Amino acid sequence: MTVSSFVLIVLILSAIAFFLGRRRSMSLAGGKMSTLHSRPGYYGWYVALWCGLPAILMALAWIVLRTPLINGAVSDVIPPDVVAAGSGPVNLFMADAYNLATGNIVSREPTPAVQEAASIILGLTRTVNLAFAGIGMALALAGLTFAYRRITPDFRSRNRVERILRILLIIASTLSIFTTIGIVLSVLFESIRFFQRIPIFDFLFGLHWSPQIAIRADQVAAEGSFGIIPLFAGTLLITFIALLVAIPIGLLAAIYMSEYAGRRTRAVAKPLLEILAGIPTVVYGFFAALTVAPLVRGFGESLGIDAASESALAAGLVMGIMIIPFVSSLTDDVINAVPQTMRDGSLGLGATTSETIKLVILPAALPGIAAACLLAFSRAIGETMIVVMAAGLAANLTANPFEAVTTVTVQIVTLLVGDQEFDSAKTLAAFALGLVLFVMTLALNVVALHIVRKYRQAYD
């Protein structure tokens, strides 16, 4: 039995437990709901939670402990010469054994030791799966029986269920927090290792980016330059072009849909506009590379400008189209949140609709609109695929939109692709770039949330 099938059986058993608990509470009440402390559904949820939660915890233990238990048993049959060779050959031996046990392709002709390890893995996997499944089913049935017997008309099932759900919510929130902390610390530690090799001043204020360095002693390569200024210049240039496209169009679309469009028009136009947010970025990248980039190059040549086939302007235009729904949707929500009494008062004083929008609605919604623009700015900074396909990989320090540039996110992808030594400055530079980008987007999001908080305090 696999973990997924076990969880499916537990969910079905929990559903049955819900109906059993609900039915028992109604039968004890004798059809008189007033005699029950809680509604029948709470009794059902109480039994279902006691049935499902212990089994789910056993499934988590199953996932965590199964591999260490099997690896501990297999380690006794690993040949001494493989163990002496280091962790690499040991990992390869274990991978071949697992692949042979599951019927997958192995890296080489399996040796007798690998075949013995595979047979041990196959036998232990079945034993461990059956043991955990049996214990889990026993816990589920025991929990169901325990909760079912505790049901009485005076039993405070609602309080118990709400307490259990509160604990689950706290656990989920804690896991989210620790996940975020883990991501930040992992990036931070690797960035510290990078700054131990490359001075932080050279990284933050260097004007040249060329991370090609020699990985091995017999390899000929440059020393490497890790100045981040060209990357941020390219990132800000493309983002600026994208915002020049997205903010006016998104703002005007939001004003039209909230103040001028009828219900039928709004019901059709807003979903069509938000479809842009659901298009994969790789599709935008193809559109930018195959359609927009040649048009931009032809336009530049018609003006006598030497335009590159991959340019910041092409990537920025398509990225602006992509983030239009972010601006329009958020701005539309902000404008609709402005109290109707403000509109009525302005119109009652003789102002026209356009004057009301300019003098009343937009000033009242300005904090929310600013927050929407900042969030769109954060979205544009983190885009990768469009830039890879339309702007190129050249780290040029330029303000010319017709030249090829690159961004921080593109370089992070480039540094981690291919056969790289993880301990080299070139690979560690990706973590330093990620840390700087994280701090930058975090600051933008904090500013946006602060503005939104002030807006909500003013108009809630």
Side-chain angles (χ1 to χ4, degrees):
M1 179 181 293
T2 62
V3 178
S4 57
S5 59
F6 172 75
V7 172
L8 180 61
I9 293 173
V10 169
L11 292 177
I12 296 173
L13 190 60
S14 298
I16 296 173
F18 172 83
F19 289 105
L20 289 176
R22 188 173 183 274
R23 183 177 179 181
R24 178 172 174 80
S25 64
M26 295 178 66
S27 63
L28 291 175
K32 297 180 180 180
M33 303 295 294
S34 58
T35 60
L36 293 175
H37 174 271
S38 307
R39 300 185 65 177
Y42 284 105
Y43 293 95
W45 279 113
Y46 179 75
V47 179
L49 289 173
W50 265 101
C51 175
L53 287 180
I56 296 297
L57 292 176
M58 177 54 62
L60 294 177
W62 185 354
I63 295 173
V64 173
L65 298 177
R66 179 178 57 182
T67 301
L69 289 175
I70 296 175
N71 289 347
V74 175
S75 61
D76 296 335
V77 301
I78 300 177
D81 57 334
V82 176
V83 176
S87 60
V90 171
N91 293 333
L92 181 60
F93 179 89
M94 295 297 296
D96 287 339
Y98 273 101
N99 288 334
L100 184 61
T102 55
N104 295 325
I105 300 176
V106 297
S107 62
R108 54 191 173 181
E109 184 68 23
T111 62
V114 172
Q115 294 176 354
E116 182 182 359
S119 63
I120 293 175
I121 291 173
L122 191 59
L124 282 180
T125 299
R126 294 173 180 173
T127 303
V128 171
N129 287 348
L130 289 175
F132 276 109
I135 296 173
M137 293 302 297
L139 289 176
L141 294 175
L144 188 154
T145 304
F146 170 78
Y148 187 81
R149 290 182 176 180
R150 294 194 67 184
I151 294 178
T152 60
D154 297 332
F155 183 71
R156 299 175 179 268
S157 61
R158 184 188 65 184
N159 298 354
R160 302 297 178 89
V161 169
E162 291 179 351
R163 186 182 305 168
I164 294 173
L165 294 179
R166 189 181 301 113
I167 293 174
L168 292 177
L169 292 175
I170 292 174
I171 293 174
S173 302
T174 305
L175 289 175
S176 301
I177 294 172
F178 279 108
T179 301
T180 304
I181 294 175
I183 293 173
V184 174
L185 291 179
S186 64
V187 174
L188 179 62
F189 290 151
E190 299 299 332
S191 300
I192 292 174
R193 294 176 58 194
F194 171 77
F195 291 130
Q196 290 174 348
R197 305 183 182 192
I198 305 297
I200 188 172
F201 184 86
D202 296 343
F203 177 74
L204 295 178
F205 301 102
L207 301 179
H208 183 63
W209 176 265
S210 180
Q212 301 300 326
I213 60 174
I215 298 177
R216 300 183 303 272
D218 60 343
Q219 189 176 11
V220 178
E223 293 296 329
S225 299
F226 295 92
I228 200 175
I229 296 298
L231 305 186
F232 269 101
T235 301
L236 295 177
L237 177 61
I238 294 176
T239 302
F240 179 72
I241 296 172
L243 294 180
L244 285 180
V245 175
I247 291 178
I249 297 177
L251 181 59
L252 293 176
I255 292 174
Y256 170 75
M257 288 189 294
S258 61
E259 301 299 325
Y260 290 104
R263 292 184 177 179
R264 293 184 178 178
T265 304
R266 176 183 172 86
V268 174
K270 188 172 182 179
L272 289 177
L273 186 61
E274 292 180 348
I275 285 177
L276 295 175
I279 298 176
T281 55
V282 66
V283 176
Y284 282 111
F286 275 118
F287 175 67
L290 300 179
T291 304
V292 179
L295 292 177
V296 169
R297 183 178 182 182
F299 176 73
E301 292 176 349
S302 65
L303 298 178
I305 301 174
D306 186 13
S309 58
E310 296 175 330
S311 63
L313 183 59
L317 291 175
V318 177
M319 190 183 298
I321 296 173
M322 182 190 69
I323 63 177
I324 285 175
F326 290 89
V327 179
S328 63
S329 296
L330 294 174
T331 304
D332 181 58
D333 295 337
V334 169
I335 292 177
N336 286 325
V338 175
Q340 184 63 32
T341 54
M342 298 180 69
R343 295 179 175 85
D344 297 339
S346 176
L347 296 173
L349 292 174
T352 62
T353 302
S354 60
E355 291 172 340
T356 301
I357 294 172
K358 289 184 294 184
L359 302 177
V360 176
I361 296 176
L362 290 183
L366 186 59
I369 295 174
C373 295
L374 288 175
L375 291 175
F377 184 65
S378 299
R379 176 66 181 87
I381 286 178
E383 178 53 40
T384 303
M385 187 58 65
I386 295 176
V387 182
V388 170
M389 302 181 70
L393 301 174
N396 296 322
L397 182 57
T398 179
N400 184 0
F402 290 97
E403 291 188 11
V405 295
T406 189
T407 63
V408 175
T409 55
V410 171
Q411 288 301 313
I412 291 175
V413 174
T414 304
L415 292 172
L416 297 177
V417 170
D419 187 11
Q420 303 291 343
E421 184 180 0
F422 194 82
D423 199 31
S424 66
K426 177 181 178 181
T427 306
L428 294 176
F431 295 94
L433 291 175
L435 179 64
V436 176
L437 186 64
F438 171 78
V439 172
M440 187 175 180
T441 54
L442 177 63
L444 289 172
N445 289 336
V446 169
V447 172
L449 291 175
H450 176 69
I451 295 174
V452 170
R453 190 176 295 112
K454 288 182 61 177
Y455 162 75
R456 286 177 178 173
Q457 289 175 355
Y459 296 103
D460 271 353

